Amino acid sequence: MSIRRPRSLKWSLVLRIALLQCAMLTLIIVGILGTMLATGLIPHDYEDGTMDVLADALARDASGRLVLNETPDMTTLRSNVADLWFIIRDKQGQRLQEGRVPASFQPFVGLLDNISDARFDHALGQAAPPAGKIRWTDTAAGNVQIMTGTKGGLSLLRLLGQAPQFFLQGILPLAGLMALATLFATPWVVRGALSGLGLAAAEAERIDIDQRGVQLPLKDVPMEVTPLVKAVNAALARLDKGYERHKRFLTDAAHELRTPVAILNTRLASLPATPERARLLQDAARLSTLTDQLLDLQRLDRQAAAFETVDLVAIARGVIVDLAPMAFSAGYEMSFEPARETVFATGDRTAIERAVTNLVQNAIEHGGRAGKITVVVTAPAIIEVRDEGGGVPLGERERIFEPFYRLRPRDHGAGLGLNLVQEIMHLHGGRIEILDGKPSGACFRMTFRALPA
């Protein structure tokens, strides 16, 4: 199933505003023309009505002579103008004439070869329209000169016939200019209107599970988007409350488990030494470790104390001293290889000690119960825990840090140990990575932030 790309608000606005402008411009112009037609303004001042009808009706017959077709407009013109008169001539000398030219205009008939366009009236200063006109115009019969009166009205059909050309030559260029202005103005307007939403989105990107109580800002957020931002803030508040309840439950459960686990260890220790007792003690120790890890996770979540300078060599040495008996009883050799007598870093001593302990316990649990477990401390601030077991497949090296992840179906898994190590390294601004062991097995490398020189 393909996911459709989200629509661009900018381009949606540009397209819709441009279409709206074009439609509104057309309606305005049509409204103006309709009003002028309804009030009689256009017919009163229009002086080319007769000439337009003649031009539309003019044609040539089979022999090429000028003829006047009896169009509906021509019929209407003859019925409305009783004294209709006109002279039509082409550049080849053909002439078509009807009606009687007024006496005052007769002198101009002999001068048609010398007149291109003219407007004339019976008296000086008479209001428009004039009584007669002379004009060269294009028709179906070619370019001809027409001399006629101006008593004809505006042809509605001719006006409608000019609408497409008027739209292409008038409305469309103007709408294009307006759309071009919209294209440049809309992104600026959208950016300004949604600037508050951009700040809210930037704040949302910084939300993390370790930073609860975060709310998206409502400042400068558009009114239409405010309900969405408020809904997100309410959802974040509910998630915070649920997370806090979850944390409290884990903490309470871990505290409640400590007492029965301690009682269980005491009772198992009083049993006779048998292989079954040893296995039960090992299982009880795993349960005790899991309880301690749960409490450590809660302590890390509330970590507020400033870091201090710690010696990684001393921390690693202390862990080896504590866990060496466990490793020896499980069939391993232990080796400690510090590159220097002291390697300093900044951090929480208890948390780093827990991380090293978890890695050594993980090596004891999954190292194959044979070979050597080596702890290496090198500059600038690195601790490595190596074993000689089966190693960790390359494709599993990210998932192994998930809580209770099992590398193999029958495996006990890593519990919370490796997840806790990853959390501790995140807290210290460092990283944990898994490398191939030498010559075999796995190498867990913790890299801390070293002290500045």
Side-chain angles (χ1 to χ4, degrees):
M1 181 178 177
S2 60
I3 301 177
R4 294 179 59 185
R5 291 183 57 189
R7 292 186 302 174
S8 169
L9 177 61
K10 178 184 74 174
W11 293 113
S12 296
L13 288 176
V14 168
L15 177 61
R16 294 181 183 184
I17 292 175
L19 292 176
L20 179 62
Q21 289 173 343
C22 187
M24 290 299 297
L25 187 62
T26 303
L27 290 176
I28 290 172
I29 295 177
V30 170
I32 293 174
L33 292 177
T35 302
M36 295 178 72
L37 283 172
T39 57
L41 293 176
I42 291 180
H44 177 75
D45 293 331
Y46 191 65
E47 58 189 43
D48 289 332
T50 302
M51 192 168 292
D52 290 341
V53 173
L54 294 173
D56 290 341
L58 189 65
R60 291 186 186 272
D61 59 13
S63 60
R65 291 178 300 177
L66 294 174
V67 294
L68 202 61
N69 296 323
E70 195 63 26
T71 62
D73 286 340
M74 192 68 203
T75 302
T76 302
L77 179 64
R78 292 184 189 279
S79 62
N80 292 337
V81 182
D83 56 345
L84 176 66
W85 64 272
F86 60 83
I87 298 175
I88 303 175
R89 55 195 295 272
D90 61 13
K91 295 178 180 180
Q92 289 75 34
Q94 292 192 45
R95 187 184 185 107
L96 190 62
Q97 183 172 350
E98 182 177 324
R100 181 175 176 275
V101 179
S104 58
F105 302 152
Q106 285 289 345
F108 299 103
V109 175
L111 300 174
L112 289 178
D113 289 340
N114 306 105
I115 300 175
S116 176
D117 292 282
R119 302 169 72 249
F120 37 81
D121 213 329
H122 297 288
L124 182 65
Q126 188 169 332
K133 288 191 69 174
I134 300 174
R135 190 183 72 188
W136 283 91
T137 186
D138 291 323
T139 67
N143 190 254
V144 298
Q145 187 183 43
I146 301 177
M147 178 180 180
T148 185
T150 60
K151 294 183 178 181
L154 176 64
S155 171
L156 183 59
L157 291 178
R158 182 178 181 87
L159 180 63
L160 294 177
Q162 296 295 322
Q165 183 178 1
F166 175 69
F167 178 81
L168 292 176
Q169 296 181 355
I171 297 178
L172 195 60
L174 185 58
L177 290 176
M178 296 173 66
L180 190 62
T182 302
L183 177 64
F184 287 99
T186 300
W188 176 74
V189 173
V190 170
R191 281 195 299 269
L194 301 182
S195 60
L197 193 58
L199 295 176
E203 186 67 25
E205 290 181 354
R206 290 193 288 269
I207 294 177
D208 189 80
I209 193 171
D210 296 324
Q211 296 180 355
R212 291 176 293 280
V214 177
Q215 295 281 282
L216 302 183
L218 288 170
K219 182 181 179 182
D220 297 329
V221 172
M223 180 179 61
E224 293 79 5
V225 188
T226 298
L228 175 61
V229 177
K230 288 183 176 179
V232 172
N233 285 337
L236 290 174
R238 292 193 297 270
L239 289 175
D240 287 341
K241 292 179 180 178
Y243 188 81
E244 288 300 327
R245 288 196 299 268
H246 171 71
K247 286 293 185 181
R248 284 197 301 270
F249 169 77
L250 290 179
T251 303
D252 295 343
H255 279 292
E256 291 295 328
L257 283 173
R258 296 190 76 175
T259 300
V261 168
I263 295 173
L264 179 62
N265 281 323
T266 302
R267 291 179 178 177
L268 289 176
S270 64
L271 294 176
T274 62
E276 183 65 23
R277 171 180 174 273
R279 285 193 294 271
L280 290 174
L281 283 172
Q282 187 177 10
D283 291 338
R286 184 180 298 112
L287 183 59
S288 178
T289 299
L290 179 59
T291 303
D292 292 338
Q293 290 171 349
L294 283 172
L295 292 174
D296 285 338
L297 280 174
Q298 307 316 307
R299 191 180 70 85
L300 281 176
D301 189 57
R302 297 189 297 269
Q303 182 74 29
F307 287 160
E308 59 183 2
T309 301
V310 295
D311 182 6
L312 299 182
V313 174
I315 292 175
R317 183 183 289 110
V319 171
I320 290 176
V321 170
D322 292 339
L323 297 182
M326 183 187 300
F328 294 151
S329 64
Y332 296 97
E333 298 178 16
M334 288 289 292
S335 175
F336 180 48
E337 301 176 1
R340 299 179 182 176
E341 292 186 3
T342 56
V343 175
F344 293 106
T346 57
D348 179 77
R349 180 183 181 87
T350 303
I352 297 175
E353 189 176 77
R354 168 55 67 184
V356 179
T357 299
N358 286 352
L359 290 183
V360 175
Q361 288 177 339
N362 182 75
I364 294 173
E365 183 71 25
H366 304 286
R369 298 189 176 274
K372 182 190 296 185
I373 295 176
T374 305
V375 179
V376 180
V377 183
T378 58
I382 298 173
I383 298 178
E384 293 182 354
V385 178
R386 306 171 184 170
D387 63 59
E388 297 178 357
V392 181
L394 189 62
E396 304 288 337
R397 293 182 181 180
E398 291 293 332
R399 300 188 62 192
I400 200 173
F401 292 102
E402 297 175 5
F404 303 105
Y405 179 73
R406 295 176 182 269
L407 190 60
R408 289 172 287 273
R410 295 184 179 181
D411 202 350
H412 289 296
L416 290 172
L418 294 182
N419 177 256
L420 182 59
V421 173
Q422 188 178 53
E423 293 293 329
I424 291 172
M425 296 309 298
H426 176 73
L427 176 69
H428 286 76
R431 68 179 187 275
I432 173 74
E433 53 189 334
I434 304 176
L435 309 175
D436 292 327
K438 298 178 181 179
S440 62
C443 173
F444 288 80
R445 174 183 290 174
M446 294 186 296
T447 304
F448 297 87
R449 288 187 297 183
L451 288 175

